[in-house]
Amino acid sequence: MLNLERLRTLDALARHGSVSGAAEGLHVTTSAVSQQMAKLEREVGQQLLAKNGRGVRLTDAGQLLADHAARILSQVELAQSDIEAQRGEVVGEVRLAAFPTAARGLFPAALTTLRRDHPELKVRTVELEPERAIRAVLRGDMDLAVVLDWSNKRLPVPGGLAKAELLEDVPDIAMPAGHPLADRTEVDLEDFADDEWVSWPEGEFCYDWLMFTLRSVGVEPRISHLAGEHHTQLALIAAGFGVCVTPRLGRGPVPEGVCMVPVRQKMRRHIHAVWRTDADRRPSIRAAVAALRDAGRAL
């Protein structure tokens, strides 16, 4: 009979593409992955892995069994969800991912609620950018991810995932206190056609959104500095090195020398929770979504 944990190891290898990636996703050592695969090969009587340069690849038999493993594990998760739903208790473990400002702005309050209302539930969290977080949920490495998109640029959510809106976040333009527009009550994006910008790193969803949004109003962005953390961006603004878009969620204290001005175009970030549809009935997922919504309403 096939061992479920060994099928889980094979599934992780197929999803991550390497022994080290599978080990990281399963939170075990690489030797543990190799041992599980050796046992699985003996059980099925066929070679499942072949050397590929310095790494490994799945053989035809390995890929065939990995396809079955993915379906089996999905059915197991459905069964677990149904059992948990029937029992109605919020217990076990739930793994949450969120982009940094959501982790900072929502997790402390949400985790406090979960610990108070569901003391038997173990919660683990990690910071991940939205696209990486969605992939982690699809792979089964995370149970739920807090992600974002913008009112004028949506983040694609793949099939197999459920989604619930948590809150809307309003960004402002951050500029040095001595900027000519710092005393305005509102500004237009077109007002900054001649300014240098501080942006999120290239390749991130929010970087692409900023390029798209500025160009849509006829502004060709002059990106001078890239920083993933908003605190770093604001430090650059305080020193006089441009302007940036700064969401309010998870913002924290504004540094001295920085002025925040709302944008007349009413830009909005939509903050969502996503999880696998085959885990939809798990009470722990529903409890986590409810706690995150409460944290958003309290802001």
Side-chain angles (χ1 to χ4, degrees), residues 36-291:
Q36 288 283 61
M37 289 305 301
K39 291 177 181 178
L40 185 58
E41 286 183 329
R42 288 197 294 271
E43 285 178 350
V44 301
Q46 291 197 61
Q47 184 179 356
L48 303 176
L49 297 179
K51 289 186 177 181
N52 184 30
R54 294 185 178 181
V56 295
R57 61 172 178 82
L58 294 178
T59 63
D60 290 344
Q63 188 60 60
L64 177 64
L65 186 56
D67 292 341
H68 283 290
R71 291 192 290 271
I72 290 168
L73 293 171
S74 178
Q75 284 300 121
V76 168
E77 181 150 21
L78 279 170
Q80 290 174 334
S81 297
D82 286 345
I83 291 296
E84 286 184 28
Q86 187 180 53
R87 186 170 55 192
E89 297 176 3
V90 182
V91 296
E93 179 180 272
V94 65
R95 300 161 297 172
L96 311 179
F99 57 96
T101 53
R104 188 161 58 246
L106 297 177
F107 276 176
L111 268 60
T112 298
T113 297
L114 290 172
R115 182 170 57 187
R116 181 195 67 211
D117 296 345
H118 310 291
E120 299 302 313
L121 179 66
K122 179 181 179 181
V123 184
R124 294 170 54 188
T125 67
V126 65
E127 283 188 0
L128 287 176
E129 291 299 329
E131 290 167 316
R132 287 187 60 199
I134 284 177
R135 290 196 296 269
V137 172
L138 286 170
R139 290 196 307 262
D141 297 337
M142 289 287 129
D143 297 307
L144 181 148
V146 180
V147 301
L148 68 92
D149 58 21
W150 296 82
S151 52
N152 63 339
K153 189 174 178 64
R154 297 299 187 179
L155 178 71
V157 176
L161 295 182
K163 181 172 77 168
E165 185 159 345
L166 301 177
L167 73 151
E168 281 193 348
D169 185 30
V170 180
D172 300 311
I173 299 294
M175 64 193 78
H179 194 283
L181 303 178
D183 60 350
R184 294 272 191 94
T185 56
E186 284 187 323
V187 290
D188 293 310
L189 290 176
E190 296 93 322
D191 296 334
F192 301 95
D194 297 325
D195 283 89
E196 294 182 327
W197 286 82
V198 179
S199 170
W200 298 271
E202 290 186 51
E204 290 190 6
F205 180 73
C206 287
Y207 174 91
D208 294 338
W209 166 82
L210 182 63
M211 300 299 103
F212 170 81
T213 301
L214 290 176
R215 286 169 178 159
S216 70
V217 295
V219 176
E220 183 57 35
R222 297 170 56 207
I223 307 298
S224 297
H225 305 284
L226 302 174
E229 272 290 334
H230 287 116
H231 291 313
T232 305
Q233 295 180 4
L234 293 180
L236 290 166
I237 302 304
F241 292 105
V243 300
C244 72
V245 174
T246 304
R248 296 177 186 177
L249 176 63
R251 177 183 292 174
V254 176
E256 185 177 349
V258 175
C259 183
M260 299 287 182
V261 181
V263 181
R264 190 171 286 107
Q265 284 95 333
K266 302 301 181 187
M267 299 182 297
R268 293 289 188 274
R269 291 200 312 176
H270 301 279
I271 314 300
H272 306 282
V274 297
W275 61 93
R276 294 183 302 282
T277 53
D278 54 16
D280 193 53
R281 297 188 64 199
R282 285 178 56 189
S284 57
I285 294 290
R286 296 186 177 190
V289 172

